[in-house]
Amino acid sequence: MLIKFPERRSALLLPAVAVLTVCVVVGGVLTRGLQAEELRARAAAQAVPIVALVAPDAVAAAPLELPACIEPWAWARVSGYLQHRNVDIGAAVKAGQVLAQLDTPELDQQIRQAQAELATARSQLALAASTAQRWQALLEAKAVSQQGADEKAGDFAARQSVVQAMDANVAR
């Protein structure tokens, strides 16, 4: 015959589960505490000080001279290289005095290009003027149409405007 002890097993099971739960919780807390301590030690080892304090030395009493300094906010309108400096730093200057000479190869090239374009426009203007005069003479002789003569006169006027624009470009 079998004897059953159901209340005794359940009575032993509950404290065993409670002891096991307490052991798991205590073990987890201890493990987490150790990991936190390791993390703090690693962070402290890798920390870089941002500011280092320095104690100033004693300064001897001496006359102090603070010159006034005004720095001008002036920039060159073109890029270039300093070719010659006419005044030294700190020297007195007058209004309009040339302080330095710049070598500006890019600007010089642009000026040469504008001058060449102006010369081309002037030669085209001369050709348009002679062509317009010829067509006007042919129109008076009734050898060409009015429209053809007007086109040549319009071309001459347009070439005059191009020359004026190119001349203004060289002058600036």
Side-chain angles (χ1 to χ4, degrees), residues 8 13 18 20 27 31 38 51-52 54 58 84 89 91 95-96 101 107 111 117 123 129-130 133 142 157 164 169:
R8 195 162 196 220
L13 185 63
L20 182 63
T31 303
E38 288 176 14
V51 177
V54 177
H84 181 69
I89 296 174
Q101 293 175 349
L107 181 63
I111 290 171
E117 290 172 355
S123 67
S130 65
Q133 287 175 354
K142 304 278 187 201
Q164 289 175 352
N169 192 23

Side-chain angles (χ1 to χ4, degrees), residues 101-146:
Q101 293 175 349
L102 297 178
D103 182 24
T104 55
E106 291 177 12
L107 181 63
D108 295 341
Q109 176 61 29
Q110 289 174 357
I111 290 171
R112 285 191 297 274
Q113 181 180 358
Q115 289 169 341
E117 290 172 355
L118 176 60
T120 301
R122 284 185 176 154
S123 67
Q124 290 173 349
L125 175 65
L127 178 62
S130 65
T131 303
Q133 287 175 354
R134 285 188 202 122
W135 276 73
Q136 189 62 36
L138 290 172
L139 179 66
E140 291 171 4
K142 304 278 187 201
V144 292
S145 68
Q146 179 69 42

Side-chain angles (χ1 to χ4, degrees), residues 140-165:
E140 291 171 4
K142 304 278 187 201
V144 292
S145 68
Q146 179 69 42
Q147 181 179 355
D150 289 344
E151 287 176 0
K152 301 304 178 185
D155 185 47
F156 173 66
R159 302 285 180 176
Q160 283 179 325
S161 298
V162 169
V163 167
Q164 289 175 352

